[in-house]
Amino acid sequence: MAQTRRAFLQTGSFAALAAMTGTQFLQAAESQPAAGKMKLGLVTYQWGKDWDVPTLIKNCTEANYQGVELRSGHKHGVELTLTPAQRAEVRKQFADSPVEAVGIGSACEYHAIDPAVLKKNIEETKQYILLSKEIGGTGVKVRPNDLPKEVPAEKTIEQIGKALLEVSKFAADHGQEIRVEVHGRLTSNIEVMHKIMEIGDHPASRVCWNCNKQDLDGQGFDANFKLLQDKIATVHIHDLTINDYPWARLFELLNGIQFSGWTLLEDGRVPKDIVASMKASRKEWDKLRLLK
């Protein structure tokens, strides 16, 4: 059975390998990224929030970005309301292009005091997992957003971790992963996130490193990175032409763990010429990814 490069990369399974002829296996293996070869993509927040899917593909192709994380609520319209036929059409648009659908960037979070709100977020996450699968994505970004003052911190941390376990098991059943963004008041603290990930430990429960200023707190950048390095699936970078984060050290550390996942540009500062700025960050990225 013929296997496309994208299908091979997405499945990564022994079953997929077994189905190939010897020639097909060699071709697919040769096309895989070498260890440590990370990929560059875009998050639709905020630079791509006003672009539909064809425009996203066009602009990412022009700027040489390999993928896009589709943040919910933006003009691309890749939402839970899409019909099966519409989801198939989105999948086809990406499959026919050089740009991959990295997955869905949801705003689902699990710190709510109200059990009904918590349940709603968990169930919505499961729906996003199915959406990601059906458009050809590989995972869903979620986040903690706070540790409410009314509740002991350890109780909320445990609640978030247990919710992650539930959605991660569901994700694994559908060949997806959960990408937990280091995000929110207090929950951007790396030690807090580490505790959450220990409770929510599952092969499909991964981290989205968010390049926050809090990454330098406590024992320092290197120590914080080490706490989460084994779980990092995606990295939300910012405009790399602006020196407001230890970009060089980040890329040295990523290369040190042979990171081959997605680095995804996400920045709230919107330039006048977004595509030109994407290209400028691409040039910086090309330099940074070679650092050791």
Side-chain angles (χ1 to χ4, degrees):
M1 178 175 62
Q3 292 280 330
T4 65
R5 174 180 181 273
R6 184 166 300 175
F8 181 85
L9 293 177
Q10 288 178 345
T11 59
S13 66
F14 289 108
L17 298 179
M20 297 180 185
T21 67
T23 300
Q24 289 169 339
F25 174 84
L26 289 174
Q27 290 174 341
E30 288 170 358
S31 69
Q32 287 209 88
K37 188 175 180 182
M38 64 191 77
K39 296 170 285 187
L40 177 63
L42 178 73
V43 182
T44 58
Y45 176 93
Q46 288 274 343
W47 289 17
K49 65 183 177 65
D50 297 321
W51 297 341
D52 59 16
V53 170
T55 305
L56 278 167
I57 290 172
K58 174 182 175 294
N59 290 343
C60 284
T61 301
E62 182 180 340
N64 196 19
Y65 282 51
Q66 299 154 278
V68 58
E69 179 183 285
L70 300 157
R71 173 72 178 268
S72 61
H74 291 163
K75 188 175 180 178
H76 56 71
V78 182
E79 306 290 349
L80 297 179
T81 53
L82 291 186
T83 66
Q86 289 170 325
R87 296 177 186 210
E89 175 57 27
V90 171
R91 184 186 187 103
K92 185 177 186 303
Q93 288 181 76
F94 281 106
D96 291 343
S97 82
V99 180
E100 295 185 40
V102 176
I104 302 297
S106 82
C108 295
E109 51 197 31
Y110 315 118
H111 66 271
I113 298 173
D114 185 344
V117 175
L118 172 61
K119 183 177 180 180
K120 179 179 182 295
N121 276 268
I122 289 173
E123 294 307 312
E124 191 172 271
T125 303
K126 293 177 181 179
Q127 292 305 307
Y128 277 121
I129 289 166
L130 296 178
L131 175 62
S132 176
K133 177 182 180 180
E134 289 162 13
I135 66 164
T138 53
V140 174
K141 188 222 71 179
V142 301
R143 67 189 188 194
N145 210 29
D146 199 4
L147 295 177
K149 297 176 182 178
E150 304 90 333
V151 180
E154 294 303 320
K155 182 178 179 181
T156 302
I157 288 170
E158 182 178 10
Q159 174 180 299
I160 295 169
K162 288 182 176 179
L164 283 178
L165 268 181
E166 181 175 344
V167 297
S168 295
K169 289 175 182 177
F170 185 88
D173 288 341
H174 293 278
Q176 300 286 298
E177 66 183 8
I178 296 295
R179 298 154 181 164
V180 191
E181 186 176 20
V182 183
H183 187 276
R185 191 189 74 89
L186 300 180
T187 45
S188 287
N189 180 288
I190 299 297
E191 292 184 1
V192 170
M193 182 60 70
H194 178 62
K195 291 178 182 177
I196 289 171
M197 298 306 295
E198 282 188 320
I199 295 167
D201 187 37
H202 186 277
S205 180
R206 308 294 301 283
V207 164
C208 171
W209 185 268
N210 203 35
C211 296
N212 304 310
K213 62 180 182 179
Q214 292 91 336
D215 300 345
L216 283 70
D217 292 346
Q219 297 298 312
F221 188 74
D222 284 27
N224 285 331
F225 184 89
K226 188 174 182 179
L227 281 177
L228 296 178
Q229 67 180 23
D230 294 336
K231 280 290 190 177
I232 297 174
T234 56
V235 178
H236 281 179
I237 58 175
H238 310 310
D239 186 337
L240 296 177
T241 67
I242 300 174
N243 190 25
D244 58 355
Y245 190 82
W247 298 122
R249 187 56 184 156
L250 171 65
F251 278 78
E252 287 170 352
L253 292 172
L254 289 172
N255 282 325
I257 61 171
Q258 295 188 319
F259 181 70
S260 58
W262 288 99
T263 54
L264 301 160
L265 196 152
E266 173 193 60
D267 203 311
R269 300 162 293 197
V270 183
K272 290 182 179 179
D273 189 334
I274 295 174
V275 175
S277 292
M278 288 172 66
K279 292 177 179 178
S281 276
R282 171 76 204 202
K283 288 181 179 179
E284 294 302 316
W285 185 86
D286 281 331
K287 299 173 187 175
L288 289 165
R289 70 187 176 92
L290 299 175
L291 295 177
K292 295 181 179 180

